[in-house]
Amino acid sequence: MEKTSNSSVFLLTVNGQIEGANFPDYDNLYCKYCYVYGHDWAPTTVSTVEKHCITQITSKSSQSHKLIWNFPLETTFKSTNPSGWPQLVVSVYGPDVFGNDVVRGYGATHIPFTPGQHIRTIPMFVPEPTWRLQKFTGWLLGRRPEYTDPKVVAHGEGREVTRVRSQGFVTVSFHIMTKDMKRMGYDTGPTNSSTVQFATSSQSRDAQ
Amino acid sequence: MAASSDIREKLRMKRRALQDTLVKNKNEDDIQALVPSAKFNVDNQPTAMKEAEGSDEDPGESLRRTLRAQREKRKTKLLLEQPFVQDEDVGEVSPTQYNSPNEGPSSRVDDSVVSTRPPTGSQRGVSVKSEQPSSSLHLDTFVTRHLQEKLRAARSKGESLQQQETSKDSSEPVSRLQRLKDRDTITRFDREADPVSSGRHDDPLTLRSRVKFQEQARRVEKDFPTTEEAYNFFTFNYEPDQPSKPESKSKMRQKQRDGVEEDDRDENGQEEAEVEEEDEAEEDNQDQNEFQSEEAPLVRNEDNLFVIDHLPQDFVEVRKAEYVGFKKRVQRDCELLFTPSFRAVPTSVKLPENTMPRFLEDEGLYVGQRPAVSLTNKNISENRILKMAEGSKWFGDDGKILALPDPIKESSTRPPLFHMDEELDPALQTVYRKAMKSQYANLYIAGATDPEGDYQLDVDVSGLIFSHHPLFSREHVLASRLAQLYDQYLSRQQNNLTGHLTEKLNGLRKALRNMMRIHGEQGSSEALQHRISEYSLEVRNTRQLRDLEQEKDRTLLRSIIKVWKEIKSLREFQKYTNTPFKLFLRRENVDRALDEWEYEGEILKEVLELEAESEEQYQKKLAEYNKQLEDWKLWRKKQKAKQKKKKKKSQTQDDTEEEQEEEEEQDQTESEDQFEEDPVKPEVPERPDIDSLERWVREKASRIRRKPGEAILVPELCTSGGVTASDLCPRAEVARREDVSRRSLFIKILYNYKEVSRTDSCSLSTDFRVHFGQIFNLKVLNCPQSINLQVFEEIGSSYSLLAQVFVPVPDPSVVTGRAPIEEIEFSSNQHVMFDHEGVGSDVPLSFESDGSNKLTLLTSGKLSCCVSWGIGEEGVPLAPPLSQHPGGTHRGLGHLDAVSYIGASGLYDMKKIGEWAVQSRLDPNDPKNTSIMHLLKVASSGEVTAPDYFRLEHLQEEFNFVSDEEMESSKRFRLLRLRNQEAPEFRNYKFVPLLEREVSDKVFQDYEKRLKDGETIDTRQHLNPHRAVVAKYLQQIRESVINRFILTKHHYQLSDLVIEEEIPSIGILGINLFKLAESKRPLKPQRIERKKVTAQNLSDGDIKLLINVIRAHNIPIRKPQSSKPGQSSQSAVQGSDWYLSQVQVRPFVEVSFQRTVLQTTTADGPNPSWNEELQLPFNAPNGDYSTGSLQSVKDEVFINIFDEVLYETGPDDKSRATSIHTQIEKHWLGSVKIPFSTIYSQSKIDGAFKVNTPAVLLGYSREHGNTSVYDQWRSTQGGTFVRLFITVEPQLVPGESVREKIKEAEFNSQEDERLLQASEKFEKHAAGGYPDRPCITTVIDLSGKTIFITRYIRPLNPPQEFLDAFPNNPQEATSLVARYVSLIPSLPDQVSFSATCDLLSTCDQFLTLLAGDEQEHAVLLCNYFLFLGKKAWLIIGTAIPEGPTAYVLTHEQSGYFIWNPSSGQFYEKGDTFCPLQTVGCLVNSDNVWFNIQENPSPLHTNFDITKVKMWKPFFSRSFSHPGLSSVQPEELAYRQTDKAAAAELQDRVEKILKEKIMEWRPRHPTRWNRYCTTTLKQFLPKLEQSRGQDVAEGHRVELQNLLGDYRISGFPLHLPFSEVGPIIEAVHSTGVHNIHSSNVEFALAVYIQPYPNNVPSVWVYLASLVRT
């Protein structure tokens, strides 16, 4: 590892929130998330990014079957190379019928690279058991198949061996700011000084 | 209202009053003082009081009414201050109202006193205000109760006063008079107030009671000051009613309670009865009151004192917590709250009296729908409104609440949202859109520094001609058609294509004729023939073209005439003319004969040509026919022959008719078959019919050409004809013409989609032409993208867009003046229809009488305009230069990019390429363009030929963001590529710099060096040239294996990605069920399996190495220090005594790992117990915590045992008596090293480890007296042991073996498939039954092939010298061989090959490499033993600390021996300290046996392999040994030892070590004791000879003799040799260099004994000497 203190970097600031999820059949879910990024990327704040972070448990309201977390995200990356652009990997967990904590979905999305506000709806999926019997025993014992590492979903490699089933959606809103991208020759959108977008605060669309 | 000044004022007043009355009776004082102060207080806040009055208006009407009359009466008596006094009284008294009901009579008095003290201010005011609104009817009863209470109190007081007065001295009345006077002076108000109160109350009692009554009065008279009254109050000059005061005073004194009652009665008529009753009760209680009044003075006195002493207390109001009883609260709530009733309100209440409800609806007026309100709600609100003042105004005439009609529409205008909890309808969702950068905003023409702009675009809009307009009349339609046709005619005439082609045809014919002539003369040559045919083809084509053109000419002329005729007939029909068109047909007479001759000649020629052609065609066909016929005939013949044969055959064979018949039938069928299969006999082609040809030609000629002799008709169109005047036209036509005249047109000019200018609006002329003739000069700043002219039609004031015309942006070379006016056609699909003569647009129109042949005309026309670049004053064109178009589009300007112009698919379209070539003005002379010009030439010359090749990825270039050369030269790209290729140096390289210049060249140094080193061998780093070669070779193997491993690493299986519960078998289910019944907290808890952590999630600092140092056994103990050799023996004699008296040893353990050093506390004695846990952080190389990376960690855990020695150093003489200086030295006793890879793969290591102790430890001995049987037994084992528990926290998932993957991958095998399957089955079975016993049947050799393990076992010869050394003692030879094997350095496979990829090299490879793991050592040792004639097996098992490993088992007469190949030591089968823990399987050259005994430890294992119940053989009767040949060589060749090299190496090592030691002691001088060094050097060969056996005593004594007065500690280290690094490391770990005492000296000796094949045995003797 070399110190990059004197070399030029560009910065990517991610603000936003994991707004909520739509899992029609499940309730009392919580969400783990982490970032996956390439070799040329590093978070400027180690604490929140290096580890898996975890949200609170949310329940559905009586009227709405949407799960709302509104869990804030905030981090800043520095990088020297757009390759390996950070991805947000989200995995949702919750209790099953017997109260075992099982995984309800994995999903990943690239962090948008255009400055401004973005809303991403991440389709969530879980790996399928290999056999029917395993499906049954997994259900019975509360041991569903899980990825060895949630970060697997951010990579393409090796994914061909898994079969997955879609589960629901997680909505994430991002407010993206970049610094020095253009100076380094990466034009990611209409961001000259006059047209910088100031992301308006997004309100959860289904807060009620 | 409570300003502090007020309070202060009050205080002052009070104090004064007190002073005034201090001499007098205090009781009275009290009373007197209170009133004035209260009054004064009031005086200060008149406004607040008024506010209070204002709010007094609310109270119940009835009360007001009853009072009003009284008030009227009393008005004149009222004094100015009255209202204030009353208000103030209320304020002060109100708290007592709360308190009194709950208090006893006596306390009530006190309380009243307290409460009437100067108040704390605002609180009072608040209470006043809060009280006032509550004054309703209920209040009255409440008030009455109060009154009664007050009355009672007052009465008692009055009585007591009277008593006091009578009892007091005579001066009392005087003073009282004075007091009254005083009071007058102080508070006029009070006195003036008195009459009022007396007027109402006639209170004869004390002032105190009067105050109470005053309050009551005020309560009643709250409403007194109305506005009118207030006005009077300030303006009128009332005469103070003086006489009334004394009167009232006298009344006060003289009148008794009756008066009070009367007064009450006056005021509150309602209360009278109650009061009377109360009064009676009061009278009854009089005795009691009197009794109380006797006590009262005391109390009052106290109060007075209290007031004087504690003035500040006056601010603090002390009273009991207010509690209001439930009933009371309910009652009060009732006072406060109004609950409107639900009941309907009768209409009469709602309406003004005596009015009947009026229903507007009945009267026929419209009344809107009232909003729906529930009846209850309506009633409630009606009731509420009625309660309000002027409530009735809310009611309409019909007695209902006024209401507007229901404003809610019946149906919602907004679409219903059926989403509820769904997401919002996407159509309704707010969508975030990024700000768009205007496409043209920043496309300024570069170089346009002058904001005025140097570029000017001139747009000349000259005019507009409609070819169709909705207002066209039918005649106009025809006329315009005629005009068009005429235009066409003219242009054709101009081009004169027919003439052109005719001439060409003639020329060709002539040429052809010439050629034919030549051909006829000279005979045919191939080339000529070819040319002739070409020419004739050309002639034919040209003729066809000419015919076509002629036909067109003819039809054009015909249609012109036809249209003209139609016009004429139309004009006749409608009896007026609309258009000025006139067609003249000029006849040009021709010479008939000439014409006819030409005509005939032409026909003749054509016929001839056609004949020739058809002849040729016929010939061709004929030839074809002949060929086919030939074929057919041939076939026919064959067929016939066949038939004949068959017939013959049948004839010979037939015996019966039937058969013959059958045959015939068969034959028939056959022939039929044949007939079917027959090629049809070709038909003879017809001869072309010459006559018909001629006929056809003539027919055609007559159709397309003018007849011979017929005059040439030349049409001429002129506009000289007159148009019928409007007044002569029918009405419809007039309307049309009027409509036309109303219309006008103008044109907007849009530049880059922005309007820049517009023409004047010009009216449409009758001939539908508009002339604008305007030129617009546009100063241009932005790059021209589009110029758009919009045609608008204006009717009156409204205008509509008719059409849009896009004008191409002119070339910079096109400048004004030189540019021609262009006519640009436009059209619009507007649908227009008129009711007058105008034909409209997009309306079907027919000129036929029957309405057939309809045609639909759309508005269309031509706009003549011209766009060009302007010219400056000096004639400089104001056009932007060509090159200055940054990026973006190049449309119409300069160079055109081929792909962007015609699109990718267009590359195959020749036409488009041609178009592009023309457009972009390719330079035909540019060599770059030759190919394309050639292509175009070919394409345009004749038929378009599709290219016969396919351009693969013709757009690849477009996607290359950088050229290949640049890619190569850029350091950054190189770095990125290398990282992507996973080159070892860059595999986890972080932060490839962003900019090229930030990539330092240093980055590549290692990589390049490695590449370069591929060839050259650096001998410097290695002490031995041979080792260098070996290292190189190892490196290469390592790389190849790594590459292979990387390949397999990217091959994923489901289990690599998904954790999935195994399908539980029945057994496991049973166990699980059993587990449910298991106790939650068992008495003997077992270690719970820790959660395993996948390595990827980890980062620096997450992993810790836990080392639990439990205890050690048999640590060498110190020998008594003595300078004389004799003493040592003496001491040995006196062993027990010495043992008791002296510290034997103080050992501690130091653990070092990755340069982190931790140590335990110091324990005592040779068998210490520490039981300490040490935590060492672990850092993976490069921060890469992947499994592969962790497996390749080479770091080792060093566990060193030291003895802590304390020396008293000579202290100063002065301080000797008081202090002792000690110096700590640590002496190395031994070490254990455990590679991290072992810990990682085993996840935990638990056991007693044999400490690697030096053969000799100077100053220490292992014999420490026969203290116990146990120790004695132990000492025979001759080893020091330390018990450790090592693990990694958190537990890491050990990298699974790549073996399986490798098997799957390209790792092929030479073994028989059947054998492999069997071995797989065998291993699986073994793993299933005994998961903890390793079983290996196949291994992978260095080339990556799977090989059965028995092939490795074969007797091999050890070096001859070992055999020769002890010819008579095979036992010695055995140990020599074992020692030799152990001297070969060991290198775990995992480390060398960065994965748990078990590679096994053959013995010769092993001896060449001189490095290998335990398996290789074991195989070699086993082979040697076999050679020596022993029964030997390979044991595959697990041992401490290696984990899965291989040992060697030999069978001798005395029993079974287990050999550790890496150390050369052997253990008897029963040895408890044998490091081997489990025996998995045994291998020899014939078979593999798997241990299926219950206890796998060697102690309990029966090694009789013949017993099938204990050992499961691989090859059995069912699967016999296939006779596998050995992979080992026949014989091992050994290179002889090179003594000279060894001596050189010895010197080098010694030099290096000495340097290192000095290096490690940077702050201290390092002295070498030469004498000692030489002595030590002499010992070393002896040690080597004795193979490290215990010769310590002897040479220690010797040493002692030599160096009498030194305290020596030292030891020899014995090491196998691979590189110098490990030796340095070992020396460093002993910590000898850490002795910092000033007079220390060192001695270091190195001895290297070479063994065959460059296996050296290295001895390092280290000693430190301290002069005593």
Side-chain angles (χ1 to χ4, degrees), chain A residues 1-2 4 6-10 39-42 50-51 63-66 78-81 114-117 127-131 133-134 137 141 143-149 152 157-159 161-162 184 186 190 192 197 205-206, chain B residues 419-424 429 432-437 442 972 976 979 987-995 997-998 1000 1003 1049-1050 1052-1064 1069 1072 1094 1096-1097 1099-1100 1102 1182-1183:
Chain A
M1 273 201 288
E2 270 197 1
T4 53
N6 53 352
S7 66
S8 43
V9 292
F10 59 83
H39 291 300
D40 298 329
W41 289 78
E50 287 273 294
K51 315 272 177 195
Q63 294 95 32
S64 161
H65 61 256
K66 258 207 104 171
K78 68 174 176 185
S79 169
T80 60
N81 193 354
T114 318
Q117 192 205 349
E128 272 276 85
T130 330
W131 289 9
L133 180 60
Q134 266 169 320
T137 54
L141 301 172
R143 303 280 297 269
R144 314 281 170 92
E146 286 180 29
Y147 281 119
T148 49
D149 184 359
V152 163
E157 200 176 39
R159 286 278 302 282
V161 298
T162 60
M184 297 304 165
Y186 300 109
N192 49 27
Q197 298 283 326
R205 282 166 300 149
D206 205 351
Chain B
H419 68 280
M420 293 304 287
D421 37 31
E422 285 297 316
E423 296 234 336
L424 211 59
Q429 204 136 34
Y432 166 75
R433 293 226 187 276
K434 276 180 290 193
M436 295 275 285
K437 191 152 63 175
N442 293 328
R972 179 165 183 261
L976 288 169
R979 185 174 69 180
R987 199 169 298 155
N988 275 307
Y989 194 84
K990 298 252 167 83
F991 282 110
V992 173
L994 184 55
L995 299 174
R997 60 183 153 80
E998 285 168 357
S1000 67
V1003 175
K1049 209 175 78 178
H1050 289 289
Y1052 284 95
Q1053 289 182 326
L1054 183 63
S1055 57
D1056 298 331
L1057 289 175
V1058 178
I1059 307 167
E1060 196 173 13
E1061 193 81 340
E1062 296 271 320
I1063 292 186
L1069 272 179
N1072 284 339
T1094 30
Q1096 292 97 314
N1097 304 343
S1099 59
D1100 279 354
D1102 276 356
N1182 296 335

Side-chain angles (χ1 to χ4, degrees), chain B residues 215-254:
Chain B
E215 176 264 318
Q216 299 305 335
R218 198 237 13 112
R219 229 160 237 293
V220 180
E221 295 170 358
K222 265 178 238 165
D223 306 352
F224 281 176
T226 59
T227 45
E228 188 198 2
E229 287 163 356
Y231 178 75
N232 291 340
F233 169 54
F234 285 111
T235 50
F236 285 26
N237 205 355
Y238 288 106
E239 269 189 334
D241 204 352
Q242 289 291 352
S244 67
K245 193 186 83 178
E247 196 186 305
S248 69
K249 281 285 172 200
S250 60
K251 267 183 194 169
M252 245 163 62
R253 298 201 185 272
Q254 290 156 13

Side-chain angles (χ1 to χ4, degrees), chain B residues 191-205:
Chain B
R191 197 190 53 202
E192 285 159 358
D194 285 348
V196 177
S197 53
S198 63
R200 281 175 282 145
H201 302 273
D202 291 334
D203 190 358
L205 292 177

Side-chain angles (χ1 to χ4, degrees), chain B residues 948-1234:
Chain B
D948 50 357
Y949 53 86
F950 176 70
R951 286 192 226 173
L952 184 70
E953 292 187 84
H954 56 274
L955 294 174
Q956 181 57 49
E957 286 280 305
E958 298 293 313
F959 287 98
N960 288 349
F961 67 100
V962 71
S963 69
D964 287 347
E965 301 90 66
E966 223 174 307
M967 192 87 163
E968 286 302 318
S969 63
S970 165
K971 282 181 285 184
R972 179 165 183 261
F973 291 140
R974 188 175 175 209
L975 200 58
L976 288 169
R977 270 183 302 146
L978 282 171
R979 185 174 69 180
N980 196 37
Q981 286 161 11
E982 300 201 330
E985 284 84 359
F986 307 107
R987 199 169 298 155
N988 275 307
Y989 194 84
K990 298 252 167 83
F991 282 110
V992 173
L994 184 55
L995 299 174
E996 174 79 27
R997 60 183 153 80
E998 285 168 357
V999 184
S1000 67
D1001 291 318
K1002 270 185 272 174
V1003 175
F1004 296 105
Q1005 270 174 6
D1006 286 347
Y1007 176 69
E1008 272 159 7
K1009 205 170 130 215
R1010 184 168 66 94
L1011 290 187
K1012 209 166 64 190
D1013 288 354
E1015 294 83 45
T1016 59
I1017 292 158
D1018 185 15
T1019 46
R1020 265 179 304 120
Q1021 279 205 324
H1022 304 281
L1023 298 174
N1024 195 327
H1026 172 72
R1027 310 255 19 139
V1029 178
V1030 167
K1032 192 78 245 159
Y1033 182 62
L1034 264 182
Q1035 184 65 33
Q1036 281 169 3
I1037 292 177
R1038 188 178 300 168
E1039 266 170 39
S1040 75
V1041 173
I1042 283 173
N1043 286 338
R1044 212 173 290 197
F1045 176 68
I1046 286 171
L1047 274 179
T1048 51
K1049 209 175 78 178
H1050 289 289
H1051 181 83
Y1052 284 95
Q1053 289 182 326
L1054 183 63
S1055 57
D1056 298 331
L1057 289 175
V1058 178
I1059 307 167
E1060 196 173 13
E1061 193 81 340
E1062 296 271 320
I1063 292 186
S1065 64
I1066 300 292
I1068 292 171
L1069 272 179
I1071 288 167
N1072 284 339
L1073 285 175
F1074 181 69
K1075 267 186 188 162
L1076 291 175
E1078 186 170 84
S1079 58
K1080 289 281 177 201
R1081 295 180 63 187
L1083 289 174
K1084 192 186 170 197
Q1086 289 181 321
R1087 246 181 227 281
I1088 296 169
E1089 197 70 12
R1090 284 180 300 168
K1091 196 181 177 230
K1092 291 189 178 180
V1093 176
T1094 30
Q1096 292 97 314
N1097 304 343
L1098 299 164
S1099 59
D1100 279 354
D1102 276 356
I1103 303 181
K1104 286 198 172 70
L1105 205 62
L1106 299 187
I1107 297 172
N1108 203 341
V1109 184
I1110 300 161
R1111 59 181 167 270
H1113 307 292
N1114 207 15
I1115 284 175
I1117 53 166
R1118 289 179 210 159
K1119 279 188 180 173
Q1121 287 302 323
S1122 59
S1123 54
K1124 290 166 198 165
Q1127 280 182 342
S1128 68
S1129 57
Q1130 203 180 348
S1131 72
V1133 173
Q1134 298 166 349
S1136 57
D1137 181 31
W1138 164 85
Y1139 175 73
L1140 292 169
S1141 63
Q1142 200 136 19
V1143 176
Q1144 290 175 298
V1145 67
R1146 291 169 54 77
F1148 68 90
V1149 175
E1150 189 183 271
V1151 180
S1152 66
F1153 177 65
Q1154 288 186 336
R1155 298 284 165 195
T1156 313
V1157 180
L1158 290 177
Q1159 67 177 56
T1160 63
T1161 51
T1162 311
D1164 269 336
N1167 297 311
S1169 175
W1170 294 282
N1171 209 4
E1172 271 186 56
E1173 188 180 88
L1174 304 175
Q1175 282 194 7
L1176 293 122
F1178 170 74
N1179 290 314
N1182 296 335
D1184 175 13
Y1185 286 86
S1186 65
T1187 312
S1189 164
L1190 288 178
Q1191 277 168 345
S1192 63
V1193 172
K1194 283 187 192 176
D1195 296 309
E1196 289 182 321
V1197 183
F1198 288 96
I1199 297 150
N1200 290 306
I1201 300 176
F1202 288 95
D1203 178 22
E1204 189 184 87
V1205 186
L1206 301 173
Y1207 288 112
E1208 284 184 30
T1209 53
D1212 302 339
D1213 286 343
K1214 290 174 192 169
S1215 56
R1216 191 188 307 213
T1218 53
S1219 61
I1220 298 169
H1221 290 242
T1222 44
Q1223 196 168 25
I1224 297 172
E1225 273 180 24
K1226 53 180 192 177
H1227 292 171
W1228 184 75
L1229 298 178
S1231 74
V1232 180
K1233 51 180 187 182
I1234 298 159

Side-chain angles (χ1 to χ4, degrees), chain B residues 1524-1553:
Chain B
L1524 297 168
S1525 61
S1526 175
V1527 291
Q1528 301 284 13
E1530 295 265 329
E1531 200 177 346
L1532 290 173
Y1534 295 94
R1535 271 174 293 128
Q1536 265 317 302
T1537 52
D1538 188 351
K1539 299 240 174 185
E1544 194 199 327
L1545 187 64
Q1546 181 179 320
D1547 290 346
R1548 284 176 69 178
V1549 170
E1550 186 171 337
K1551 211 174 137 207
I1552 288 169
L1553 285 180

